Amino acid sequence: MESHAEKLYTPVALATADGVRVIATPGAKAAEQSNADVIIQSLEARGIQHIFLVPGKLVYPLIKSIEHSAITGIVGAHETACGFMADGYARANRKFGVCLGISGPGTMNFLPAMAAAQADKIPVLYLAGGIATYHEAQGAFQDGSNSGIDELTIVKPLLSAAIEVKNNLTLQHELRRSLSCLNTQRKGRAYLSVPVDMQKKGVAGNYEASPQRTPQCREAAIDQLALEQVVDDYLLRGLNVACLVGNRMNNPLDAALLLRLAEKYRLPVATTLSGKGAFPEGHELALGLYGFAGHTRAVETINGDEVDVLLVLGCDLSQRDSLNWNPRLHGTKTLVVIDEDFDKVSSHYQPDMQIFSSLTGTLHHLLDAVSDEDAHLAGIKSLRNGWLEQVRSLPLEQQRPDLQARLALGEANMYPGDAIKRIRSRMNQDTNVVVDSGAHRIFMAHHWLASGRGDYHTSSSLAPMGWAICAGIGIKLAAPHRDCVVVTGDGCMLMHGMEIQTAARYQVKMTFVVMNNCAHGAMHIDTLQNRGVSADYTALPNHNWKAFANSLGVSSAKAATLEELDEALAAAAEHEGPFLIEVLVGNHVAPNRYYAESIVEYEQRIKGL
């Protein structure tokens, strides 16, 4: 008599009018579990719900395994875009992202995404299907193995692990090795290439994937002695302590803990561009943005002489994050750096105290170190309040003439900051905003008021154009309960604008805002001030992005005034799928002066060396 397991259905392919459809036939034995099944089941057991892919014959077995899992395969137009989508997915769900493509050309197209994730330290798994092992060393088509283009050697510098599996007995071990670095503390990236014949082979030995069998890795070690010293020597003394927060704190969990910490010890908080979103910029303790596109309150406070201790959390103190390595950031103050990733941290500055510790664990420890009702703490907070009154007197933004005054002076196109503030006013407080690279990045950083819920996402280290268009799709799929708006530019649309069709294909409800200034804006601004290259190299044709969106099945609107922008935003909110708004803006000088001044100061410093 057949057992229940022997009665399981097995899939059968039937030709139909619209292609091939897979159905289940009752009464047949289930197919033997393949290595492709093992890979996909392992990802499913770790909570992965979406894989971003470009299909190809070399990954057919893996795609078939995805079809029979709870994971949804999202087909993108280009492997680079799929890598960016996986990057965004990892940022929004505190797990890791996964993308899939064929080896050879697919892997080469993953390279820009690998580089962006490496620069921002985002955990991503790049899955590839290679040519059959018996085709190697014979001039096979799309050979990425070491007998072809040797892609493993090419990708290794950008990854924590680069693995090609050719032994059935080692596949499960290599899979575990690939997955071991993909967590929020190690922040690794792994490339796993499996030849197509290996994907099809039956599993060697016993294998069972389930959430219950998935190993629970606890990697949240904290340096308790050092943190107790921070409390005793700095937080509970009559010192002016400020915080500078980077991208590794820019997530909902740590943002909520940071807010509690700042309020408990009365610590003003500035964020870097990559950390924007980690603290509510409308809060009384908010200094705003320090570094690139920074705010007056943040720059004047941190570079001033009133700060005794600067507590740096999850920040690399890179060029953009430090105003071109401004010496006043350290100055006479005590520099305390706490981070869980010391690969490149503080490579320019020499901290007075450097602590390797889980950031989430650090925040919990500092919060629990002293009771909220402690009398000594109350006295320290009272002392800091006097200083904070002076800090709050500094403006956040650089002030510009109001809109009516600019119109009276003959300003023809919308100022980007006006459009940004209007968009912000129409969005929910927990909206995920995803920002691309260009002039709009500067205006967004300065004028968008982050709500401090890990809600602001940008690729700030490598900053590839068009990243946000793709990453926004991954972010929305990872956090479907939050609204999502992508702010990009016309130059970025020329790079990866095609991916809005991916959002349309899967009816992903999100808004794409294209700031159309008919230019590579950040550089074009230089040409208008007789700096940089000729405008022939920075101006762009005035493409009709509204019509482009419509051609790809994305509903759209165009706005040349704030009133038209209001109407477009209302239409986007009502629409069930993706919606693109083309906003016609002018080319304006950057809304702050600090970064430009820091470049001049740096050049003067190095001339004296």
Side-chain angles (χ1 to χ4, degrees), residues 430-442:
D430 66 347
T431 294
N432 273 318
V433 59
V434 194
V435 185
D436 237 321
S437 182
H440 57 277
R441 178 202 293 276
I442 302 170

Side-chain angles (χ1 to χ4, degrees), residues 493 497-498 500-501 512 514 516 542-559 579-584:
M493 285 293 290
M498 183 59 68
I500 65 172
Q501 62 83 34
F512 297 93
V514 180
N516 187 358
N542 187 13
H543 296 297
N544 188 335
W545 296 111
K546 179 181 184 299
F548 175 77
N550 292 343
S551 74
L552 296 175
V554 177
S555 296
S556 62
K558 184 178 292 188
F579 197 97
L580 183 142
I581 303 174
E582 180 181 359
V583 183
L584 304 179

Side-chain angles (χ1 to χ4, degrees), residues 163-181:
I163 300 167
E164 187 176 28
V165 181
K166 294 184 180 179
N167 186 330
N168 206 32
L169 294 173
T170 64
L171 182 134
Q172 293 182 49
H173 302 291
E174 297 289 34
L175 177 60
R176 284 197 298 271
R177 188 156 72 97
S178 299
L179 297 174
S180 67
C181 65

Side-chain angles (χ1 to χ4, degrees), residues 345-395:
V345 73
S346 303
S347 56
H348 176 84
Y349 296 92
Q350 180 58 53
D352 299 291
M353 186 176 190
Q354 184 166 302
I355 304 171
F356 178 76
S357 185
S358 159
L359 291 169
T360 303
T362 291
L363 295 172
H364 277 297
H365 188 83
L366 295 178
L367 281 167
D368 296 339
V370 59
S371 168
D372 291 342
E373 288 75 33
D374 185 89
H376 181 64
L377 175 63
I380 295 299
K381 290 164 69 173
S382 179
L383 285 174
R384 288 189 184 133
N385 281 335
W387 169 53
L388 290 172
E389 286 294 330
Q390 301 174 31
V391 170
R392 282 195 295 269
S393 68
L394 294 169

Side-chain angles (χ1 to χ4, degrees), residues 4 22 76 108 129 189 305 311 331 351 367 437 443 446 490 523 541 583:
H4 174 71
V22 177
M108 294 303 99
R189 292 146 307 285
D305 297 326
L311 190 61
L367 281 167
S437 182
F443 292 98
H446 199 75
D490 49 336
M523 293 171 289
V583 183

Side-chain angles (χ1 to χ4, degrees), residues 323 326-328 596-606:
L323 279 178
N326 196 307
R328 292 192 295 277
E597 290 175 353
S598 74
I599 294 173
V600 175
E601 290 175 3
Y602 178 76
E603 291 173 348
Q604 291 173 344
R605 290 199 304 274
I606 62 174

Side-chain angles (χ1 to χ4, degrees), residues 176-210:
R176 284 197 298 271
R177 188 156 72 97
S178 299
L179 297 174
S180 67
C181 65
L182 302 175
N183 58 61
T184 55
Q185 187 158 355
R186 292 186 66 186
K187 299 175 179 64
R189 292 146 307 285
Y191 173 76
L192 182 65
S193 177
V194 185
V196 65
D197 57 320
M198 284 292 300
Q199 297 173 41
K200 296 175 181 177
K201 283 187 178 180
V203 178
N206 296 323
Y207 176 78
E208 179 185 348
S210 69

